[in-house]
Amino acid sequence: MRIRHILGAFLVLQLIALTAFPIFSDEAIYIRWAKLAVSEPVKYAFLPMLDGKPPLHVWSLIPFVQAFADPLFGARLFSVLVGCVTAVGMLKLAALLGGNRKQQALALVLTLVTPYWLFHHRMAVTEGFLVFWLVLAMVSGLRLLRSPTVVWKHVAVFAIAVAGSLWTKTTALFFIPMLALLPALVWSVEKGKRALFSVYLDKKTYLLATAGFIGCLGFLALRLSPLFPFLFSRSVDYTFTVQELLAGEWKYVLFASLPKIMWWVTWYMSPFLMLAAVRPEKRTGVLWLMAAVYAAPIILTGRVVTARYIFPVAVPLTIAAALGLGAIMEKGSKILGRVILWGFIVHAAVFGFLLFALPDYSLLTHEDKHQYLLEWSSGHGIAQIVGRVKDDLKLHPVIVATEGYFGTLPDGIWIYFANYKGPNSVEVYGIGQPITEIPVSLQQRVVKDTIVYLVVNQSRFFDTNTDKYEVVGTYPRPYGAPPLLLLKVSKVKVQ
């Protein structure tokens, strides 16, 4: 089967039930930013920086969220397409590391179907795009280092990839030690032709370092925005300081955070692939070292860490697995190769089936189940509420107030009405949380034939006076987690 056939089959498969998984808070935020950037580019183009996010991912979403009636579909489609391109890059990466045709094909297929990749390429989060830049940097860097002469095209692409990654997410700074190991990776596949230090003293290595430095300077172009200082302002919310680590938080890092992260990576990569990725050869050792140098600073300083923050380690680990599995199937134990291959197929197939067909019961880790499916950050009920409001708008003006100011609510609803043009008006806004009682100001907006709704998570709503509202929708989350409520607000009663 040719590459285009594999990618075509993957693309068709990914389009199935692409929006069945509930919208996640970060997805809602990114899509809102993209919508705002279209409406008033001068005012909102760099808005993501206010929350510590470079703007390139949001800018890339703009044509997709504008082209489709369902902006969530458009945003996730962008991630799917990025995944296809990234998979081709992984094939090229395997080839540059000496992989034969079978190993190259494995690198392509594993990038498409391994749970870690599959999940993040179905979500409109930043990580899939970030990893695309890493793969591009590695491919262009290895092409430069392995070419007999200097090819300036590879130098330019490497600089662009470094700048692109930093314009996508500031954690791309942790790519620097990974990319610094590219000469060691070249040394590992040259089978002793040169000493390691001679590879680092090569002219092309200096050019690569210069291109990386230019890419970092490209990131500094964001200083043109007055919001640049905010890019790192929220790091304190997610990281420990040195003083905190020395005061005892190192125990949390070593005994709580590290074991969890190791399990996350093992589960999402599949234990079978991780077994195939462990081989006693130089290139495998360097690939594991690349994964370690990226993850180490995140693990050591991470106050808040999730599996997607570590996602870039999937690049070297997938390549190591593809090379290892291919070698086992061709030169090693056929029985071991079949056990690994079929074990992985079963794991990936079950994970993928549940993700597509029964997303509420996806085989996510405990922590990811909570943030994606069980907590306020999960968009269960958003699609149904949007559908109801659209029906109401055919006959009435509608006001939708929600808990919160930022995130799944109100952004997950707002994005569907940002460009609304119809016979009646619609307004969507947040009023904070928790909500102890229905605000009188909201009741006062129930005038003439206007319908006023309040959308709130049951766990954050404490008004028991049902004279003020009627529960017209209850949208459950799996495993008995608190549901999302749709309340129809009543008029203020005259005393």
Side-chain angles (χ1 to χ4, degrees), residues 159-173:
I160 292 169
V162 170
S165 67
L166 290 167
W167 272 64
T168 299
K169 197 167 185 178
T170 54
T171 51
L173 288 168

Side-chain angles (χ1 to χ4, degrees), residues 32 382 385-386 389-390 393 398-405 407-418 420 425-431 442 445 451 453 455:
R32 180 187 177 98
I382 295 290
I385 290 171
V386 168
V389 171
K390 286 182 177 179
L393 282 169
V398 179
I399 295 169
V400 183
T402 78
E403 70 169 56
Y405 295 111
T408 311
L409 296 173
D411 297 345
I413 298 175
W414 181 91
I415 60 175
Y416 288 94
F417 299 101
Y420 178 78
S425 64
V426 59
E427 185 178 350
V428 181
Y429 62 93
I431 61 172
L442 197 58
R445 302 203 66 181
I451 297 174
Y453 289 123
V455 183

Side-chain angles (χ1 to χ4, degrees), residues 148-417:
T149 59
V150 173
V151 180
W152 290 101
K153 176 178 69 174
H154 301 329
V155 177
V157 172
F158 184 81
I160 292 169
V162 170
S165 67
L166 290 167
W167 272 64
T168 299
K169 197 167 185 178
T170 54
T171 51
L173 288 168
F174 298 136
F175 289 171
I176 294 173
M178 292 182 78
L179 298 176
L181 288 170
L182 286 178
L185 206 50
V186 170
W187 166 79
S188 73
V189 298
E190 287 187 342
K191 299 180 179 178
K193 291 181 181 179
R194 290 185 289 173
L196 178 59
F197 74 88
S198 68
V199 181
Y200 276 93
L201 295 177
D202 190 280
K203 173 185 176 182
K204 294 192 290 291
T205 301
Y206 294 145
L207 278 174
L208 195 70
T210 303
F213 179 71
I214 292 171
C216 291
L217 290 179
F219 169 69
L220 294 180
L222 287 172
R223 291 182 67 90
L224 295 173
S225 168
L227 299 179
F228 184 81
F230 291 95
L231 273 180
F232 300 96
S233 62
R234 293 202 61 196
S235 60
V236 68
D237 297 334
Y238 298 96
T239 59
F240 293 119
T241 63
V242 174
Q243 291 80 4
E244 288 173 326
L245 289 171
L246 293 176
E249 293 295 352
W250 64 270
K251 296 177 184 177
Y252 168 80
V253 170
L254 185 61
F255 299 114
S257 185
L258 179 59
K260 281 195 303 185
I261 290 170
M262 292 177 65
W263 165 243
W264 295 342
V265 174
T266 301
W267 175 248
Y268 284 132
M269 283 298 300
S270 173
F272 299 97
L273 280 192
M274 295 295 277
L275 179 62
V278 180
R279 286 181 59 79
E281 56 181 30
K282 290 179 181 178
R283 63 183 177 181
T284 299
V286 177
L287 288 166
W288 274 90
L289 183 58
M290 294 179 83
V293 297
Y294 176 82
I298 297 176
I299 295 171
L300 290 173
T301 64
R303 183 191 303 272
V304 178
V305 182
T306 66
R308 65 192 178 104
Y309 294 173
I310 309 292
F311 180 48
V313 304
V315 175
L317 293 182
T318 301
I319 294 297
L323 297 174
L325 182 56
I328 292 171
M329 293 171 66
E330 291 183 357
K331 302 175 183 178
S333 166
K334 290 185 178 181
I335 295 176
L336 177 61
R338 289 172 181 170
V339 169
I340 292 174
L341 180 60
W342 283 104
F344 168 74
I345 289 173
V346 171
H347 181 194
V350 173
F351 186 98
F353 173 78
L354 292 175
L355 183 64
F356 283 71
L358 299 168
D360 278 357
Y361 301 97
S362 302
L363 296 179
L364 304 178
T365 62
H366 172 78
E367 293 78 9
D368 278 353
K369 276 183 182 176
H370 275 266
Q371 68 167 336
Y372 290 114
L373 295 172
L374 306 182
E375 297 179 350
W376 61 267
S377 48
S378 166
H380 279 87
I382 295 290
Q384 293 92 326
I385 290 171
V386 168
R388 179 174 183 134
V389 171
K390 286 182 177 179
D391 288 340
D392 290 338
L393 282 169
K394 296 173 183 177
L395 300 173
H396 307 279
V398 179
I399 295 169
V400 183
T402 78
E403 70 169 56
Y405 295 111
F406 188 61
T408 311
L409 296 173
D411 297 345
I413 298 175
W414 181 91
I415 60 175
Y416 288 94
F417 299 101

